[in-house]
Amino acid sequence: MNRKEFLENPDVINFISWLKTKLPSLKLKLNFKASRFVPGGLTTDINGFEEILAQYKWSSSWTHPDGATMKSTNWLETKESLAQLSEWLTTAINNNDETQTLEACLQILKWGGVRGAIPFLSRKYDEKELVTYLRSVEQLMLLDNDETDLNQLNEISIQSFDAGLTKIHALLDKTGSPIYDSRVGAAIGMLYSLYCHQNNQAKATLQFPYGKARGDQIRNPKNMPNGLAMNVCSDLSYAEWAQWQVRLGWIIRDILESTDWFTDEGEIAARCRAFEACLFVIGYDLRCFELGKTNNLSEEIEHTTPSRGTTWVPTSHSFSKIINDYLEFRQMSSSDNKAAFTTWLVDKKNVKPTTAVSYLFPFPIQEFDLFERPLKDIERIAAGGEDGLLAALSIDKLEPFTLGDEREKVCLVDVFITGEGYKNYATGSDRVNSIMQAGYAGTNSSANTLMTVGRNVGRHFGLLDANSNTTELFERFFEEFSLED
């Protein structure tokens, strides 16, 4: 499907028309908790979509090529940071400079507070294919090219995708491609849900995916009054996630090409970035829509009680066992993918198919991105200890653990929760109760699953000792980390 075909879809036409009518008078009540990303928090009322931009907050920093630390919080500062990061990445790619391309990508991830893409980027760099890969994807995602076709974004052309890579591809693009992360997806999905409700459309034909939050914010439109069920970004294939970035970009450009919104931002690409930034603000917590009360988006609002955001309960697995099984598989097999490894576990280890799938919890990009790693990296990860942790994170020296706005790195977060539990509570029941009271798990069973995985991963990497007490490495790794930030 190309741009013309997509924009001629009746549902897309009607949704765009609805957005152009409703967004200028959009009423919201923003209520952000104070965190390292939003110092001091944010509480304010919004009357009109364009007003949101002045309330943009994302406190972050990155390192300029000259060594200076670049900090940004509000939109003007962030816009300048993004412009410099985009220029750095573009120049490096134009110069076919693999080293500077990697460094620019890493600083984009640092600005965004995400790390999951580092193993993939490092692998492409080691293969001297990073520049070629990013350039090829750039051409496939151009928003102003009538030949851009969603079918060209497939499992061959899109080799990885997550909340970090969407930022890299968006900043390399010059046609207005949006960063499609958990918050942007949540916002556009909620708006589409309200459009469907107002038009008596019970099922979403546009399945805008969202991502789970790390805290108690609501990002699943289904958990809101009149919200429709949407897909989760991490459940999609890499290509499908990339396709949604293009679809949203087509919608945003079409709206801005026929309105005067955000004209102070400059050309169309800059206006698209501003539109996306407003979605990012809205998507922090969908409760900003205040549904269940009078709202200009829909005359009849069904009142329901939204559920809590998310927990830190993983799928049960033994990390130490599965990483050593995977090492054995890699040493014996020429194939290296989810299907091949799952089949191998069933055939060689007599594991049930459903159990084999659950064992793969630490493999996706949201955790350790283990498939297609160099064998030497898998050997180091399987050996464990601090060196294994460095290999798992694709870094040369230990850096303090950080977590962005997404629910990811669950295995390592569970190590932190477990270690803090053993540090602060003497009995297992007290630890379970503390985990449940904090909202990290909902039941005794799930809290115990969380700690079982936390103990196993923690001991494997030397973050916890044999008695599950925190080690010196734990204190160094988690020294600046808090789940409350």
Side-chain angles (χ1 to χ4, degrees):
M1 177 180 288
N2 60 31
R3 178 179 61 174
K4 184 174 183 293
E5 292 167 337
F6 176 74
L7 293 176
E8 287 179 347
N9 180 293
D11 194 38
V12 174
I13 292 172
N14 292 333
F15 180 45
I16 288 174
S17 176
W18 184 88
L19 288 171
K20 288 194 288 188
T21 300
K22 297 294 184 179
L23 290 187
S25 57
L26 178 66
K27 297 183 186 301
L28 301 168
K29 185 176 288 293
L30 302 180
N31 186 13
F32 293 10
K33 294 191 301 183
S35 71
R36 70 184 180 95
F37 294 118
V38 187
L42 174 64
T43 302
T44 190
D45 293 343
I46 294 293
N47 185 15
F49 188 70
E50 289 183 274
E51 283 191 11
I52 299 170
L53 199 59
Q55 304 302 327
Y56 180 97
K57 269 193 175 184
W58 180 258
S59 184
S60 189
S61 66
W62 55 280
T63 304
H64 192 275
D66 65 10
T69 298
M70 310 299 292
K71 297 181 179 180
S72 59
T73 298
N74 62 34
W75 176 241
L76 290 178
E77 295 166 345
T78 298
K79 183 168 61 171
E80 177 60 26
S81 275
L82 296 182
Q84 292 188 46
L85 286 165
S86 175
E87 182 180 3
W88 183 3
L89 179 60
T90 301
T91 300
I93 288 178
N94 288 342
N95 291 337
N96 293 310
D97 189 329
E98 293 278 341
T99 300
Q100 284 300 305
T101 297
L102 176 63
E103 189 57 37
C105 288
L106 294 179
Q107 293 307 314
I108 290 171
L109 298 185
K110 184 177 180 181
W111 165 80
V114 288
R115 307 174 60 100
I118 294 177
F120 173 76
L121 295 168
S122 299
R123 184 165 70 248
K124 283 296 175 187
Y125 171 77
D126 290 341
E127 296 168 351
K128 295 182 172 54
E129 293 181 356
L130 182 57
V131 168
T132 299
Y133 176 75
L134 292 178
R135 186 180 284 139
S136 68
V137 175
E138 177 192 12
Q139 295 304 308
L140 295 176
M141 298 181 73
L142 295 173
L143 300 181
D144 62 352
N145 187 343
D146 289 335
E147 295 183 2
T148 296
D149 193 312
L150 296 179
N151 293 327
Q152 294 177 340
L153 299 169
N154 52 47
E155 62 181 9
I156 296 174
S157 62
I158 305 299
Q159 299 174 21
S160 189
F161 213 88
D162 75 334
L165 285 163
T166 184
K167 295 172 175 61
I168 291 169
H169 293 307
L171 292 186
L172 180 57
D173 176 82
K174 300 298 182 290
T175 64
S177 185
I179 294 172
Y180 197 117
D181 62 9
S182 67
R183 290 168 60 159
V184 171
I188 194 65
M190 190 68 235
L191 288 168
Y192 179 72
S193 292
L194 294 173
Y195 150 78
C196 289
H197 174 75
Q198 193 171 51
N199 289 278
N200 298 314
Q201 186 171 313
K203 185 177 180 181
T205 59
L206 293 174
Q207 280 278 333
F208 292 104
Y210 71 96
K212 297 178 181 178
R214 59 172 285 189
D216 63 358
Q217 302 88 3
I218 292 179
R219 296 198 183 148
N220 180 359
K222 182 64 176 176
N223 289 342
M224 290 293 293
N226 307 317
L228 297 177
M230 300 286 177
N231 293 320
V232 179
C233 288
S234 58
D235 290 341
L236 302 179
S237 70
Y238 298 143
E240 288 170 332
W241 193 339
Q243 289 172 2
W244 280 107
Q245 180 166 330
V246 173
R247 288 188 185 96
L248 179 58
W250 282 337
I251 288 173
I252 293 173
R253 274 190 67 111
D254 191 76
I255 291 172
L256 296 181
E257 285 171 351
S258 58
T259 66
D260 61 358
W261 300 356
F262 304 110
T263 51
D264 289 346
E265 295 297 308
E267 299 299 323
I268 187 69
R271 294 169 64 203
C272 288
R273 183 71 63 230
F275 192 109
E276 165 228 301
C278 292
L279 292 177
F280 175 79
V281 174
I282 295 174
Y284 169 78
D285 191 337
L286 296 181
R287 284 172 289 197
C288 69
F289 282 93
E290 289 206 295
L291 301 180
K293 302 179 181 180
T294 302
N295 189 290
N296 66 310
L297 291 176
S298 180
E299 295 178 359
E300 296 181 4
I301 299 293
E302 175 188 353
H303 181 74
T304 60
T305 301
S307 64
R308 189 189 184 280
T310 189
T311 70
W312 290 102
V313 180
T315 300
S316 181
H317 68 280
S318 170
F319 180 81
S320 293
K321 183 179 187 308
I322 197 62
I323 191 62
N324 279 284
D325 283 346
Y326 179 57
L327 174 59
E328 181 182 346
F329 162 77
R330 287 289 302 275
Q331 292 169 335
M332 297 173 59
S333 175
S334 59
S335 300
D336 181 22
N337 54 58
K338 179 179 178 179
F341 183 44
T342 302
T343 300
W344 184 86
L345 286 171
V346 173
D347 293 343
K348 301 296 184 182
K349 298 295 181 178
N350 297 317
V351 174
K352 294 180 180 179
T354 53
T355 303
V357 172
S358 70
Y359 282 176
L360 301 186
F361 181 82
F363 281 72
I365 192 171
Q366 289 78 19
E367 292 299 318
F368 295 111
D369 197 15
L370 296 173
F371 287 121
E372 298 185 7
R373 292 277 202 110
L375 181 59
K376 60 182 177 60
D377 285 0
I378 301 303
E379 291 171 342
R380 291 171 60 199
I381 296 169
E386 182 171 350
D387 185 65
L389 181 61
L390 294 176
L393 299 174
S394 289
I395 55 178
D396 295 326
K397 63 179 181 179
L398 196 69
E399 301 171 1
F401 181 68
T402 60
L403 197 64
D405 206 39
E406 320 279 334
R407 181 188 183 266
E408 59 182 13
K409 304 302 179 194
V410 174
C411 289
L412 290 174
V413 171
D414 288 347
V415 174
F416 173 78
I417 293 172
T418 302
E420 291 296 306
Y422 274 82
K423 187 188 300 183
N424 296 314
Y425 301 96
T427 68
S429 60
D430 285 343
R431 295 178 199 119
V432 166
N433 288 336
S434 70
I435 288 171
M436 292 175 60
Q437 288 173 3
Y440 303 147
T443 65
N444 285 356
S445 176
S446 60
N448 278 306
T449 296
L450 184 158
M451 285 198 294
T452 297
V453 171
R455 283 191 295 264
N456 185 265
V457 176
R459 291 171 184 172
H460 183 84
F461 289 123
L463 295 162
L464 302 177
D465 65 19
N467 296 316
S468 299
N469 295 312
T470 61
T471 63
E472 181 270 340
L473 178 60
F474 179 100
E475 301 302 334
R476 280 194 288 129
F477 187 52
F478 291 113
E479 64 175 342
E480 300 176 1
F481 181 65
S482 169
L483 278 172
E484 302 307 313
D485 288 343

